[in-house]
């Protein structure tokens, strides 16, 4: 079990629920957001049961959310020694991991859009121009995200937060 908290539990609960609502408003699954911010606001890793207890839901309700979050490297699952249970914690620098290192998504969009441009005979038609514009936008975003990642790593290092991405 995690150590007693010295936090204002009601304020922490409000933070968790407000952030979960904000994430849900932009399409993030609500339970996954609640779990993410519950784990983020804990000083120590939590089991599914402990997460459920903090949220007032069953451990089973937490199961799909932790699966979703581990797939996107937003949570790390660690076994509890001598038990069949697992504990969940935030990885080091999860926002970097979830945002900057997932540029393969942009490459996929760029490649598919490139095929669409070819199928539409290039920019010679309005449809071809729209798809080419989309491809060019994702190329731009990919380049900018990579540059942003370089700047973020430099800022973290300057602030004394360890290596390039701490994990």
């Amino acid at each position: 079990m995690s150590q007693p908290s010295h936090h204002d539990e009601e304020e922490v609960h409000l933070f968790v629920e407000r952030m979960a609502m904000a994430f849900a408003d932009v399409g993030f699954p609500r339970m996954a957001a609640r779990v993410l911010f519950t784990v983020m606001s804990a000083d120590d890793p939590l089991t599914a049961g402990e997460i459920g207890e903090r949220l007032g839901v069953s451990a089973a309700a937490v199961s799909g959310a932790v699966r979703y979050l581990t797939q996107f490297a937003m949570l790390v699952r660690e076994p509890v020694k001598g038990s069949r249970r697992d504990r969940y914690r935030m990885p080091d620098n999860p926002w970097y991991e979830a945002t900057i290192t997932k540029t393969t998504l942009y490459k996929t969009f760029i490649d598919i859009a490139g095929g669409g441009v070819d199928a539409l005979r290039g920019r010679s038609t309005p449809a071809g121009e729209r798809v080419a514009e989309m491809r060019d936008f994702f190329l731009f975003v990919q380049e900018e995200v990579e540059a942003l990642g370089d700047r973020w790593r430099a800022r973290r290092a300057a602030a004394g937060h360890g290596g390039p991405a701490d994990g």
Side-chain angles (χ1 to χ4, degrees):
M1 203 74 160
S2 56
Q3 298 176 353
S5 173
H6 301 294
H7 305 292
D8 180 332
E9 294 305 318
E10 183 60 29
E11 288 297 318
V12 171
H13 174 75
L14 288 172
F15 159 74
V16 167
E17 295 302 331
R18 287 177 182 147
M19 285 301 293
M21 234 186 309
F23 268 51
D25 286 347
V26 296
F28 202 86
R30 178 87 185 262
M31 182 56 77
R34 292 179 76 208
V35 167
L36 176 65
F37 292 107
T38 296
V39 173
M40 176 182 273
S41 64
D43 290 328
D44 298 307
L46 300 172
T47 65
E50 292 167 337
I51 295 167
E53 189 176 302
R54 289 179 184 215
L55 290 174
V57 300
S58 70
V62 172
S63 171
V66 296
R67 188 171 35 257
Y68 178 86
L69 293 165
T70 56
Q71 283 179 325
F72 289 99
M74 295 300 292
L75 285 186
V76 174
R77 183 178 72 172
E78 300 172 331
V80 175
K81 188 175 179 174
S83 171
R84 291 178 34 197
R85 296 181 308 157
D86 294 317
R87 287 217 163 120
Y88 299 92
R89 67 171 177 80
M90 297 287 295
D92 294 329
N93 208 2
W95 306 111
Y96 171 87
E97 291 299 321
T99 305
I100 306 298
T101 64
K102 304 300 185 223
T103 58
T104 56
L105 177 64
Y106 300 119
K107 172 126 178 49
T108 300
F109 291 164
I110 292 162
D111 291 347
I112 294 169
V117 170
D118 292 344
L120 294 164
R121 308 285 187 244
R123 294 179 178 261
S124 63
T125 65
E129 176 59 31
R130 283 191 300 271
V131 175
E133 180 77 11
M134 179 181 70
R135 179 203 56 209
D136 295 348
F137 172 75
F138 284 118
L139 278 165
F140 170 78
V141 169
Q142 181 179 29
E143 292 165 1
E144 291 298 308
V145 165
E146 289 169 0
L148 187 64
D150 292 341
R151 291 195 339 255
W152 174 245
R153 286 186 296 275
R155 177 180 277 191
R156 281 181 52 80
H161 290 294
D166 272 353

